Amino acid sequence: MLKKYASLRDAFHQARGAMGNPFDVTFDAILSPTTARLGDRTVLLLGTNNYLGLTFDSACIADATEALRQEGTGTTGSRIANGTYGVHAALERRVARFLGRRDAMVFTTGYQANLGILSALAGREDTLLLDADSHASIYDGARLAGAQVTRFRHNDPADLDRRLRHLRDRPGEKLIVVEGLYSMLGDTAPLREIAAVKREHGAYLLVDEAHSLGVYGDHGRGLGEVAGVESDIDFVVGTFSKSLGAIGGFCASDLPDFELLRLTARAYMFTASLPPSVAAGVSRAFDRIDQQPELRQRLKLNAERLYHGLRAAGFVLGPVPSPIVSVRLSDPALAMRYWNELLTAGLYVNLALPPATPENQSLLRMSVSAAHEPEQIDRAVEIIAAIGTSLGVRSAMPDVAAAE
Amino acid sequence: MQATEDAVQAIAEVVRSLKNPAIPQDLPIAADTTLAHDLKLDSLAVMDFVMALEQRFDTVISMDDLPDVQTVGDLARLLDAQPQPAASLS
């Protein structure tokens, strides 16, 4: 049955034979948003997507605990059967209010939000135009939709425009799908230009703010708020598992009859709803985002500190400073070894390997939190630089030093 | 339908221009060259390859058509079938 994965098995066994398995790290205790225990070591966490550090927020924990005691461990049912409680409805109103939208639907995960929304929105006659670097959940949702699908070059409004011109006479609706902040290299979408293309062609626009909600914008509404194009965005998708520190996904919209998607999005209908404790904790996390703009400011400073620290140390990074900072390496074997040595030195980052990465790059992917102390960032830079020197990675980048 | 030689040659040029280290550079590329076995393109690499072709041919290929594409010839026929003929290339 699994013979088709022979080459994957070989690669996996080879990697695992030499070192620890980077895809099977099991933390023995989570000590804080930025530290964990792994065996007898305390590890600095620099790859958690916990952008605002809200996983240990006392108010979120208090509300989640109260809901856990009052309403139990789980709903044991789907949103369209027995799985909608007051907390779910309240969370949907909270999401809609936060984003200034008429309606919002809450899903059990962010992955399911894209799966459910894309497959329900686009029918066979419609066309989906996906940014080439879109997350797997977007590709999977597009495949389930059965719509015509075309990818445009990453962050390239001109290529999007070219494709929409070609498709002008094709019947059906056109839905453009982009992300606010891209999870592998930390680059952001040129939303203003994309919105202009959308308007010109009368298409719809969906923006996945999974990594940018709570992170970007004066009010934390994401990249759409920064770009000033929220009125051009027809659907905002996002997750509760990053800046909001829990789990779950959503889609918010002003579209009339949006609620029909509750009866057509299969990833919404045929899975159990969020535990009430999670829904209650997430509602409170939105309050924290409203009440604590300083979290976003601290996150920004930490992100710049890490980005500029690594750049000064001679590493090749993504194009702009953002809470996602990735060191680009060309060789997966080197990346594996680097990753292992970082962990041995007490630093956890994400290892991202092809084909999950743009342009087949191997990445040491880091994400910064508002909860990091500046000293932790500095220590991380020191560890990364020291191992980079011992592995010959930094000295192998003469052109980078010249470009500084 | 026979794939046009023009389209096959244009695809061969795009393959070379990709500079994908997985692709054997000395391999002769013809209509019966397979994308997966001969060119060592996995499904994601095929999608990137098709994006380069779409730009070169100034056309749009639906991803739904790709599962049926096994060879360079299949791809050439698909390109030939698009509203913008390969001959419009310069």
Side-chain angles (χ1 to χ4, degrees):
Chain A
M1 199 63 202
L2 299 180
K3 272 185 193 152
K4 54 185 168 289
Y5 299 123
S7 61
L8 174 67
R9 184 192 56 203
D10 293 348
F12 178 63
H13 281 209
Q14 196 182 354
R16 197 172 55 177
M19 296 164 276
N21 175 6
F23 306 112
D24 191 24
V25 172
T26 308
F27 296 115
D28 295 293
I30 298 292
L31 308 173
S32 75
T34 60
T35 52
R37 196 164 54 71
L38 199 59
D40 55 4
R41 273 173 299 152
T42 297
V43 176
L44 172 57
L45 300 174
L46 197 65
T48 61
N49 306 313
N50 193 358
Y51 298 119
L52 301 180
L54 290 179
T55 46
F56 283 84
D57 181 89
S58 56
C60 295
I61 289 176
D63 282 14
T65 306
E66 174 69 11
L68 181 66
R69 290 195 189 285
Q70 294 295 324
E71 304 192 33
T73 51
T75 67
T76 68
S78 143
R79 291 295 309 273
I80 59 165
N82 59 302
T84 295
Y85 297 4
V87 280
H88 299 96
L91 177 56
E92 287 180 332
R93 289 192 299 273
R94 188 71 185 89
V95 172
R97 179 156 63 89
F98 182 80
L99 290 168
R101 301 281 172 170
R102 190 154 62 189
D103 208 350
M105 275 171 79
V106 163
F107 293 75
T108 306
T109 69
Y111 177 89
Q112 286 168 315
N114 272 329
L115 211 62
I117 287 295
L118 288 171
S119 60
L121 277 178
R124 289 202 172 278
E125 288 293 298
D126 301 322
T127 302
L128 290 166
L129 297 108
L130 314 182
D131 182 283
D133 283 3
S134 289
H135 188 259
S137 56
I138 292 173
Y139 279 106
D140 292 353
R143 196 181 314 179
L144 271 181
Q148 306 278 312
V149 181
T150 177
R151 303 161 85 212
F152 61 94
R153 285 190 179 277
H154 174 55
N155 275 353
D156 189 341
D159 190 39
L160 173 63
D161 178 66
R162 184 184 75 77
R163 287 166 191 275
L164 280 163
R165 277 181 206 292
H166 272 280
L167 300 170
R168 195 167 30 200
D169 298 329
R170 189 183 280 184
E173 306 288 359
K174 318 286 192 304
L175 174 62
I176 302 162
V177 183
V178 300
E179 297 178 36
L181 175 64
Y182 284 87
S183 66
M184 286 291 121
L185 291 175
D187 50 336
T188 49
L191 274 187
R192 231 169 278 152
E193 292 81 356
I194 286 170
V197 173
K198 170 242 160 144
R199 282 195 302 271
E200 184 180 338
H201 292 279
Y204 289 85
L205 176 60
L206 181 152
V207 179
D208 183 345
E209 301 263 21
H211 290 270
S212 35
L213 184 89
V215 169
Y216 283 97
D218 288 344
H219 302 89
R221 293 199 298 268
L223 204 73
E225 182 186 358
V226 176
V229 295
E230 286 172 290
S231 61
D232 290 309
I233 300 172
D234 302 283
F235 307 97
V236 184
V237 169
T239 177
F240 305 142
S241 64
K242 302 189 189 322
S243 62
L244 291 143
I247 190 167
F250 69 85
C251 178
S253 180
D254 292 323
L255 197 75
D257 292 332
F258 180 74
E259 67 271 17
L260 290 175
L261 294 176
R262 295 182 195 275
L263 299 171
T264 51
R266 294 165 66 85
Y268 173 89
M269 298 160 69
F270 296 107
T271 193
S273 61
L274 282 175
S277 52
V278 171
V282 170
S283 284
R284 179 63 68 193
F286 276 107
D287 295 345
R288 303 312 262 175
I289 292 180
D290 277 344
Q291 296 157 353
Q292 293 183 278
E294 66 271 19
L295 290 177
R296 282 192 293 289
Q297 184 56 25
R298 207 179 305 155
L299 173 64
K300 183 170 182 283
L301 292 175
N302 281 343
E304 288 169 353
R305 194 177 190 94
L306 180 64
Y307 186 88
H308 294 304
L310 290 174
R311 273 243 331 201
F315 290 98
V316 182
L317 309 173
V320 285
S322 85
I324 297 168
V325 180
S326 288
V327 169
R328 302 184 195 222
L329 301 166
S330 54
D331 177 2
L334 171 68
M336 290 274 289
R337 184 160 173 214
Y338 206 142
W339 180 89
N340 267 283
E341 294 202 10
L342 288 174
L343 194 59
T344 303
L347 180 63
Y348 175 81
V349 303
N350 303 128
L351 177 67
L353 298 176
T357 52
E359 296 159 24
N360 282 323
Q361 299 173 89
S362 300
L363 304 174
L364 295 174
R365 176 192 179 274
M366 289 155 257
S367 50
V368 181
S369 175
H372 282 121
E373 296 296 333
E375 298 74 32
Q376 290 179 304
I377 305 278
D378 294 346
R379 202 176 106 225
V381 172
E382 278 169 31
I383 294 171
I384 295 162
I387 294 173
T389 302
S390 73
L391 292 177
V393 170
R394 294 169 65 198
S395 58
M397 304 171 176
D399 52 328
V400 176
E404 288 291 319
Chain B
M1 189 177 115
Q2 192 74 19
T4 62
E5 190 54 30
D6 282 357
V8 170
Q9 285 313 310
I11 290 168
E13 275 173 42
V14 173
V15 170
R16 300 287 177 227
S17 73
L18 286 180
K19 297 190 170 51
N20 183 336
I23 299 174
Q25 284 301 307
D26 49 355
L27 184 82
I29 294 170
D32 62 353
T33 305
T34 62
L35 302 183
H37 292 111
D38 297 332
L39 297 180
K40 316 281 185 216
L41 297 173
D42 60 24
S43 58
L44 197 65
V46 167
M47 290 203 300
D48 287 342
F49 173 49
V50 166
M51 205 155 60
L53 283 176
E54 290 173 300
Q55 193 147 28
R56 169 74 200 271
F57 281 75
D58 190 20
T59 188
V60 175
I61 294 173
S62 178
M63 280 173 62
D64 325 18
D65 291 329
L66 295 184
D68 298 330
V69 172
Q70 305 292 327
T71 65
V72 167
D74 294 338
L75 203 46
R77 276 187 289 278
L78 191 58
L79 284 167
D80 284 340
Q82 302 302 312
Q84 270 69 32
S88 70
L89 272 177
S90 55

PDB file of all heavy atoms in Angstrom, chain A residues 153 360, chain B residues 11-23 25 29 35 39 41 44-53:
ATOM      1  N   ARG A 153       2.210  33.890 -10.790  1.00  0.00           N
ATOM      2  CA  ARG A 153       3.526  34.016 -10.176  1.00  0.00           C
ATOM      3  C   ARG A 153       3.402  34.709  -8.827  1.00  0.00           C
ATOM      4  O   ARG A 153       2.670  35.689  -8.685  1.00  0.00           O
ATOM      5  CB  ARG A 153       4.481  34.803 -11.076  1.00  0.00           C
ATOM      6  CG  ARG A 153       4.958  33.985 -12.232  1.00  0.00           C
ATOM      7  CD  ARG A 153       6.081  34.664 -12.985  1.00  0.00           C
ATOM      8  NE  ARG A 153       6.503  33.807 -14.062  1.00  0.00           N
ATOM      9  CZ  ARG A 153       7.365  32.797 -13.931  1.00  0.00           C
ATOM     10  NH1 ARG A 153       7.924  32.556 -12.769  1.00  0.00           N
ATOM     11  NH2 ARG A 153       7.669  32.039 -14.946  1.00  0.00           N
ATOM     12  N   ASN A 360      12.447  25.384  -4.139  1.00  0.00           N
ATOM     13  CA  ASN A 360      13.212  24.231  -3.646  1.00  0.00           C
ATOM     14  C   ASN A 360      14.313  24.611  -2.662  1.00  0.00           C
ATOM     15  O   ASN A 360      15.352  23.955  -2.603  1.00  0.00           O
ATOM     16  CB  ASN A 360      13.820  23.453  -4.811  1.00  0.00           C
ATOM     17  CG  ASN A 360      12.767  22.581  -5.469  1.00  0.00           C
ATOM     18  OD1 ASN A 360      11.899  22.027  -4.775  1.00  0.00           O
ATOM     19  ND2 ASN A 360      12.803  22.483  -6.779  1.00  0.00           N
TER      20      ASN A 360
ATOM     21  N   ILE B  11       9.183  23.967 -25.679  1.00  0.00           N
ATOM     22  CA  ILE B  11       9.166  23.360 -24.346  1.00  0.00           C
ATOM     23  C   ILE B  11      10.585  22.958 -23.948  1.00  0.00           C
ATOM     24  O   ILE B  11      11.011  23.194 -22.810  1.00  0.00           O
ATOM     25  CB  ILE B  11       8.214  22.141 -24.331  1.00  0.00           C
ATOM     26  CG1 ILE B  11       6.773  22.615 -24.455  1.00  0.00           C
ATOM     27  CG2 ILE B  11       8.407  21.321 -23.060  1.00  0.00           C
ATOM     28  CD1 ILE B  11       5.773  21.508 -24.728  1.00  0.00           C
ATOM     29  N   ALA B  12      11.322  22.391 -24.895  1.00  0.00           N
ATOM     30  CA  ALA B  12      12.706  21.983 -24.609  1.00  0.00           C
ATOM     31  C   ALA B  12      13.529  23.187 -24.157  1.00  0.00           C
ATOM     32  O   ALA B  12      14.295  23.112 -23.196  1.00  0.00           O
ATOM     33  CB  ALA B  12      13.326  21.337 -25.844  1.00  0.00           C
ATOM     34  N   GLU B  13      13.324  24.324 -24.835  1.00  0.00           N
ATOM     35  CA  GLU B  13      14.054  25.539 -24.444  1.00  0.00           C
ATOM     36  C   GLU B  13      13.707  25.961 -23.021  1.00  0.00           C
ATOM     37  O   GLU B  13      14.570  26.342 -22.236  1.00  0.00           O
ATOM     38  CB  GLU B  13      13.699  26.692 -25.395  1.00  0.00           C
ATOM     39  CG  GLU B  13      14.512  26.743 -26.656  1.00  0.00           C
ATOM     40  CD  GLU B  13      13.962  27.815 -27.582  1.00  0.00           C
ATOM     41  OE1 GLU B  13      13.622  28.898 -27.092  1.00  0.00           O
ATOM     42  OE2 GLU B  13      13.847  27.532 -28.797  1.00  0.00           O
ATOM     43  N   VAL B  14      12.424  25.896 -22.703  1.00  0.00           N
ATOM     44  CA  VAL B  14      12.005  26.298 -21.354  1.00  0.00           C
ATOM     45  C   VAL B  14      12.582  25.333 -20.324  1.00  0.00           C
ATOM     46  O   VAL B  14      13.032  25.749 -19.247  1.00  0.00           O
ATOM     47  CB  VAL B  14      10.461  26.384 -21.256  1.00  0.00           C
ATOM     48  CG1 VAL B  14      10.027  26.624 -19.817  1.00  0.00           C
ATOM     49  CG2 VAL B  14       9.940  27.491 -22.153  1.00  0.00           C
ATOM     50  N   VAL B  15      12.593  24.033 -20.647  1.00  0.00           N
ATOM     51  CA  VAL B  15      13.186  23.052 -19.733  1.00  0.00           C
ATOM     52  C   VAL B  15      14.633  23.429 -19.446  1.00  0.00           C
ATOM     53  O   VAL B  15      15.064  23.456 -18.288  1.00  0.00           O
ATOM     54  CB  VAL B  15      13.127  21.628 -20.341  1.00  0.00           C
ATOM     55  CG1 VAL B  15      13.968  20.661 -19.504  1.00  0.00           C
ATOM     56  CG2 VAL B  15      11.691  21.142 -20.422  1.00  0.00           C
ATOM     57  N   ARG B  16      15.377  23.748 -20.485  1.00  0.00           N
ATOM     58  CA  ARG B  16      16.798  24.107 -20.298  1.00  0.00           C
ATOM     59  C   ARG B  16      16.943  25.381 -19.474  1.00  0.00           C
ATOM     60  O   ARG B  16      17.848  25.521 -18.674  1.00  0.00           O
ATOM     61  CB  ARG B  16      17.481  24.313 -21.654  1.00  0.00           C
ATOM     62  CG  ARG B  16      17.464  23.097 -22.541  1.00  0.00           C
ATOM     63  CD  ARG B  16      18.441  22.042 -22.036  1.00  0.00           C
ATOM     64  NE  ARG B  16      18.384  20.844 -22.827  1.00  0.00           N
ATOM     65  CZ  ARG B  16      18.307  19.610 -22.331  1.00  0.00           C
ATOM     66  NH1 ARG B  16      18.273  19.430 -21.018  1.00  0.00           N
ATOM     67  NH2 ARG B  16      18.258  18.564 -23.117  1.00  0.00           N
ATOM     68  N   SER B  17      16.014  26.318 -19.699  1.00  0.00           N
ATOM     69  CA  SER B  17      16.136  27.612 -19.018  1.00  0.00           C
ATOM     70  C   SER B  17      15.810  27.515 -17.528  1.00  0.00           C
ATOM     71  O   SER B  17      16.121  28.412 -16.763  1.00  0.00           O
ATOM     72  CB  SER B  17      15.217  28.638 -19.682  1.00  0.00           C
ATOM     73  OG  SER B  17      13.868  28.369 -19.349  1.00  0.00           O
ATOM     74  N   LEU B  18      15.159  26.428 -17.130  1.00  0.00           N
ATOM     75  CA  LEU B  18      14.779  26.301 -15.722  1.00  0.00           C
ATOM     76  C   LEU B  18      15.983  26.166 -14.808  1.00  0.00           C
ATOM     77  O   LEU B  18      15.939  26.513 -13.638  1.00  0.00           O
ATOM     78  CB  LEU B  18      13.897  25.056 -15.523  1.00  0.00           C
ATOM     79  CG  LEU B  18      12.465  25.116 -16.016  1.00  0.00           C
ATOM     80  CD1 LEU B  18      11.776  23.798 -15.725  1.00  0.00           C
ATOM     81  CD2 LEU B  18      11.711  26.251 -15.342  1.00  0.00           C
ATOM     82  N   LYS B  19      17.057  25.601 -15.355  1.00  0.00           N
ATOM     83  CA  LYS B  19      18.268  25.356 -14.555  1.00  0.00           C
ATOM     84  C   LYS B  19      17.951  24.548 -13.298  1.00  0.00           C
ATOM     85  O   LYS B  19      18.492  24.789 -12.221  1.00  0.00           O
ATOM     86  CB  LYS B  19      18.955  26.671 -14.195  1.00  0.00           C
ATOM     87  CG  LYS B  19      19.437  27.440 -15.417  1.00  0.00           C
ATOM     88  CD  LYS B  19      20.317  28.613 -15.019  1.00  0.00           C
ATOM     89  CE  LYS B  19      20.993  29.255 -16.190  1.00  0.00           C
ATOM     90  NZ  LYS B  19      20.116  29.617 -17.297  1.00  0.00           N
ATOM     91  N   ASN B  20      17.007  23.630 -13.443  1.00  0.00           N
ATOM     92  CA  ASN B  20      16.668  22.748 -12.332  1.00  0.00           C
ATOM     93  C   ASN B  20      17.724  21.649 -12.268  1.00  0.00           C
ATOM     94  O   ASN B  20      17.910  20.906 -13.219  1.00  0.00           O
ATOM     95  CB  ASN B  20      15.271  22.150 -12.598  1.00  0.00           C
ATOM     96  CG  ASN B  20      14.815  21.267 -11.447  1.00  0.00           C
ATOM     97  OD1 ASN B  20      15.636  20.746 -10.694  1.00  0.00           O
ATOM     98  ND2 ASN B  20      13.514  21.119 -11.326  1.00  0.00           N
ATOM     99  N   PRO B  21      18.439  21.575 -11.122  1.00  0.00           N
ATOM    100  CA  PRO B  21      19.548  20.607 -11.054  1.00  0.00           C
ATOM    101  C   PRO B  21      19.075  19.155 -11.196  1.00  0.00           C
ATOM    102  O   PRO B  21      19.868  18.280 -11.530  1.00  0.00           O
ATOM    103  CB  PRO B  21      20.150  20.851  -9.670  1.00  0.00           C
ATOM    104  CG  PRO B  21      19.117  21.592  -8.896  1.00  0.00           C
ATOM    105  CD  PRO B  21      18.272  22.341  -9.890  1.00  0.00           C
ATOM    106  N   ALA B  22      17.783  18.928 -10.954  1.00  0.00           N
ATOM    107  CA  ALA B  22      17.273  17.551 -11.051  1.00  0.00           C
ATOM    108  C   ALA B  22      17.162  17.097 -12.509  1.00  0.00           C
ATOM    109  O   ALA B  22      17.128  15.907 -12.802  1.00  0.00           O
ATOM    110  CB  ALA B  22      15.913  17.457 -10.370  1.00  0.00           C
ATOM    111  N   ILE B  23      17.083  18.050 -13.421  1.00  0.00           N
ATOM    112  CA  ILE B  23      16.871  17.692 -14.824  1.00  0.00           C
ATOM    113  C   ILE B  23      18.220  17.333 -15.479  1.00  0.00           C
ATOM    114  O   ILE B  23      19.135  18.160 -15.471  1.00  0.00           O
ATOM    115  CB  ILE B  23      16.221  18.856 -15.605  1.00  0.00           C
ATOM    116  CG1 ILE B  23      14.865  19.198 -14.996  1.00  0.00           C
ATOM    117  CG2 ILE B  23      16.065  18.505 -17.077  1.00  0.00           C
ATOM    118  CD1 ILE B  23      14.209  20.429 -15.595  1.00  0.00           C
ATOM    119  N   GLN B  25      20.882  17.477 -17.850  1.00  0.00           N
ATOM    120  CA  GLN B  25      21.072  18.537 -18.849  1.00  0.00           C
ATOM    121  C   GLN B  25      21.399  18.008 -20.254  1.00  0.00           C
ATOM    122  O   GLN B  25      21.140  18.677 -21.237  1.00  0.00           O
ATOM    123  CB  GLN B  25      22.174  19.495 -18.383  1.00  0.00           C
ATOM    124  CG  GLN B  25      21.718  20.455 -17.280  1.00  0.00           C
ATOM    125  CD  GLN B  25      20.529  21.345 -17.668  1.00  0.00           C
ATOM    126  OE1 GLN B  25      20.565  22.022 -18.679  1.00  0.00           O
ATOM    127  NE2 GLN B  25      19.464  21.315 -16.866  1.00  0.00           N
ATOM    128  N   ILE B  29      15.472  16.135 -25.671  1.00  0.00           N
ATOM    129  CA  ILE B  29      14.056  16.299 -25.328  1.00  0.00           C
ATOM    130  C   ILE B  29      13.213  16.192 -26.593  1.00  0.00           C
ATOM    131  O   ILE B  29      13.416  16.933 -27.556  1.00  0.00           O
ATOM    132  CB  ILE B  29      13.816  17.647 -24.622  1.00  0.00           C
ATOM    133  CG1 ILE B  29      14.539  17.623 -23.267  1.00  0.00           C
ATOM    134  CG2 ILE B  29      12.327  17.900 -24.431  1.00  0.00           C
ATOM    135  CD1 ILE B  29      14.588  18.951 -22.571  1.00  0.00           C
ATOM    136  N   LEU B  35       7.811  13.601 -18.317  1.00  0.00           N
ATOM    137  CA  LEU B  35       8.122  14.650 -17.336  1.00  0.00           C
ATOM    138  C   LEU B  35       8.630  14.036 -16.032  1.00  0.00           C
ATOM    139  O   LEU B  35       9.595  14.508 -15.446  1.00  0.00           O
ATOM    140  CB  LEU B  35       6.881  15.506 -17.059  1.00  0.00           C
ATOM    141  CG  LEU B  35       6.244  16.193 -18.269  1.00  0.00           C
ATOM    142  CD1 LEU B  35       5.076  17.061 -17.826  1.00  0.00           C
ATOM    143  CD2 LEU B  35       7.246  17.041 -19.033  1.00  0.00           C
ATOM    144  N   LEU B  39      12.590  13.688 -17.107  1.00  0.00           N
ATOM    145  CA  LEU B  39      12.977  15.036 -16.648  1.00  0.00           C
ATOM    146  C   LEU B  39      13.016  15.152 -15.129  1.00  0.00           C
ATOM    147  O   LEU B  39      13.399  16.187 -14.593  1.00  0.00           O
ATOM    148  CB  LEU B  39      12.025  16.085 -17.234  1.00  0.00           C
ATOM    149  CG  LEU B  39      12.036  16.202 -18.760  1.00  0.00           C
ATOM    150  CD1 LEU B  39      11.050  17.267 -19.222  1.00  0.00           C
ATOM    151  CD2 LEU B  39      13.428  16.536 -19.273  1.00  0.00           C
ATOM    152  N   LEU B  41      10.766  15.554 -12.959  1.00  0.00           N
ATOM    153  CA  LEU B  41       9.950  16.640 -12.383  1.00  0.00           C
ATOM    154  C   LEU B  41       8.861  16.020 -11.512  1.00  0.00           C
ATOM    155  O   LEU B  41       8.063  15.215 -11.992  1.00  0.00           O
ATOM    156  CB  LEU B  41       9.307  17.468 -13.501  1.00  0.00           C
ATOM    157  CG  LEU B  41      10.248  18.216 -14.443  1.00  0.00           C
ATOM    158  CD1 LEU B  41       9.459  18.848 -15.594  1.00  0.00           C
ATOM    159  CD2 LEU B  41      11.022  19.285 -13.690  1.00  0.00           C
ATOM    160  N   LEU B  44       5.021  19.184  -8.106  1.00  0.00           N
ATOM    161  CA  LEU B  44       5.187  20.612  -7.856  1.00  0.00           C
ATOM    162  C   LEU B  44       6.098  21.248  -8.912  1.00  0.00           C
ATOM    163  O   LEU B  44       5.832  22.349  -9.394  1.00  0.00           O
ATOM    164  CB  LEU B  44       5.779  20.817  -6.453  1.00  0.00           C
ATOM    165  CG  LEU B  44       5.639  22.222  -5.895  1.00  0.00           C
ATOM    166  CD1 LEU B  44       4.186  22.580  -5.666  1.00  0.00           C
ATOM    167  CD2 LEU B  44       6.423  22.360  -4.606  1.00  0.00           C
ATOM    168  N   ALA B  45       7.161  20.508  -9.271  1.00  0.00           N
ATOM    169  CA  ALA B  45       8.071  21.028 -10.301  1.00  0.00           C
ATOM    170  C   ALA B  45       7.340  21.157 -11.635  1.00  0.00           C
ATOM    171  O   ALA B  45       7.599  22.095 -12.392  1.00  0.00           O
ATOM    172  CB  ALA B  45       9.279  20.114 -10.430  1.00  0.00           C
ATOM    173  N   VAL B  46       6.424  20.232 -11.903  1.00  0.00           N
ATOM    174  CA  VAL B  46       5.635  20.332 -13.135  1.00  0.00           C
ATOM    175  C   VAL B  46       4.805  21.608 -13.115  1.00  0.00           C
ATOM    176  O   VAL B  46       4.714  22.336 -14.107  1.00  0.00           O
ATOM    177  CB  VAL B  46       4.724  19.089 -13.322  1.00  0.00           C
ATOM    178  CG1 VAL B  46       3.696  19.339 -14.416  1.00  0.00           C
ATOM    179  CG2 VAL B  46       5.560  17.862 -13.664  1.00  0.00           C
ATOM    180  N   MET B  47       4.229  21.931 -11.955  1.00  0.00           N
ATOM    181  CA  MET B  47       3.407  23.156 -11.867  1.00  0.00           C
ATOM    182  C   MET B  47       4.262  24.402 -12.125  1.00  0.00           C
ATOM    183  O   MET B  47       3.826  25.330 -12.809  1.00  0.00           O
ATOM    184  CB  MET B  47       2.733  23.250 -10.496  1.00  0.00           C
ATOM    185  CG  MET B  47       1.647  22.213 -10.292  1.00  0.00           C
ATOM    186  SD  MET B  47       0.445  22.693  -9.035  1.00  0.00           S
ATOM    187  CE  MET B  47       1.465  22.871  -7.595  1.00  0.00           C
ATOM    188  N   ASP B  48       5.474  24.415 -11.572  1.00  0.00           N
ATOM    189  CA  ASP B  48       6.359  25.563 -11.808  1.00  0.00           C
ATOM    190  C   ASP B  48       6.786  25.634 -13.267  1.00  0.00           C
ATOM    191  O   ASP B  48       6.877  26.711 -13.855  1.00  0.00           O
ATOM    192  CB  ASP B  48       7.605  25.471 -10.913  1.00  0.00           C
ATOM    193  CG  ASP B  48       7.285  25.786  -9.462  1.00  0.00           C
ATOM    194  OD1 ASP B  48       6.219  26.393  -9.210  1.00  0.00           O
ATOM    195  OD2 ASP B  48       8.079  25.425  -8.581  1.00  0.00           O
ATOM    196  N   PHE B  49       7.044  24.472 -13.834  1.00  0.00           N
ATOM    197  CA  PHE B  49       7.437  24.368 -15.233  1.00  0.00           C
ATOM    198  C   PHE B  49       6.311  24.893 -16.134  1.00  0.00           C
ATOM    199  O   PHE B  49       6.534  25.680 -17.064  1.00  0.00           O
ATOM    200  CB  PHE B  49       7.752  22.896 -15.514  1.00  0.00           C
ATOM    201  CG  PHE B  49       8.023  22.568 -16.941  1.00  0.00           C
ATOM    202  CD1 PHE B  49       8.909  23.315 -17.691  1.00  0.00           C
ATOM    203  CD2 PHE B  49       7.400  21.482 -17.530  1.00  0.00           C
ATOM    204  CE1 PHE B  49       9.172  22.994 -19.007  1.00  0.00           C
ATOM    205  CE2 PHE B  49       7.655  21.151 -18.838  1.00  0.00           C
ATOM    206  CZ  PHE B  49       8.535  21.914 -19.588  1.00  0.00           C
ATOM    207  N   VAL B  50       5.093  24.500 -15.802  1.00  0.00           N
ATOM    208  CA  VAL B  50       3.947  24.941 -16.601  1.00  0.00           C
ATOM    209  C   VAL B  50       3.776  26.457 -16.486  1.00  0.00           C
ATOM    210  O   VAL B  50       3.436  27.135 -17.464  1.00  0.00           O
ATOM    211  CB  VAL B  50       2.670  24.187 -16.178  1.00  0.00           C
ATOM    212  CG1 VAL B  50       1.423  24.858 -16.734  1.00  0.00           C
ATOM    213  CG2 VAL B  50       2.746  22.744 -16.651  1.00  0.00           C
ATOM    214  N   MET B  51       4.071  26.992 -15.314  1.00  0.00           N
ATOM    215  CA  MET B  51       3.937  28.448 -15.145  1.00  0.00           C
ATOM    216  C   MET B  51       4.935  29.185 -16.055  1.00  0.00           C
ATOM    217  O   MET B  51       4.602  30.209 -16.648  1.00  0.00           O
ATOM    218  CB  MET B  51       4.148  28.832 -13.688  1.00  0.00           C
ATOM    219  CG  MET B  51       3.481  30.130 -13.312  1.00  0.00           C
ATOM    220  SD  MET B  51       3.106  30.244 -11.573  1.00  0.00           S
ATOM    221  CE  MET B  51       4.729  30.091 -10.907  1.00  0.00           C
ATOM    222  N   ALA B  52       6.147  28.621 -16.165  1.00  0.00           N
ATOM    223  CA  ALA B  52       7.132  29.218 -17.071  1.00  0.00           C
ATOM    224  C   ALA B  52       6.650  29.112 -18.523  1.00  0.00           C
ATOM    225  O   ALA B  52       6.800  30.051 -19.310  1.00  0.00           O
ATOM    226  CB  ALA B  52       8.480  28.518 -16.899  1.00  0.00           C
ATOM    227  N   LEU B  53       6.045  27.973 -18.858  1.00  0.00           N
ATOM    228  CA  LEU B  53       5.525  27.797 -20.221  1.00  0.00           C
ATOM    229  C   LEU B  53       4.383  28.766 -20.517  1.00  0.00           C
ATOM    230  O   LEU B  53       4.295  29.329 -21.612  1.00  0.00           O
ATOM    231  CB  LEU B  53       4.993  26.375 -20.401  1.00  0.00           C
ATOM    232  CG  LEU B  53       6.006  25.259 -20.607  1.00  0.00           C
ATOM    233  CD1 LEU B  53       5.285  23.932 -20.659  1.00  0.00           C
ATOM    234  CD2 LEU B  53       6.788  25.492 -21.894  1.00  0.00           C
TER     235      LEU B  53
END
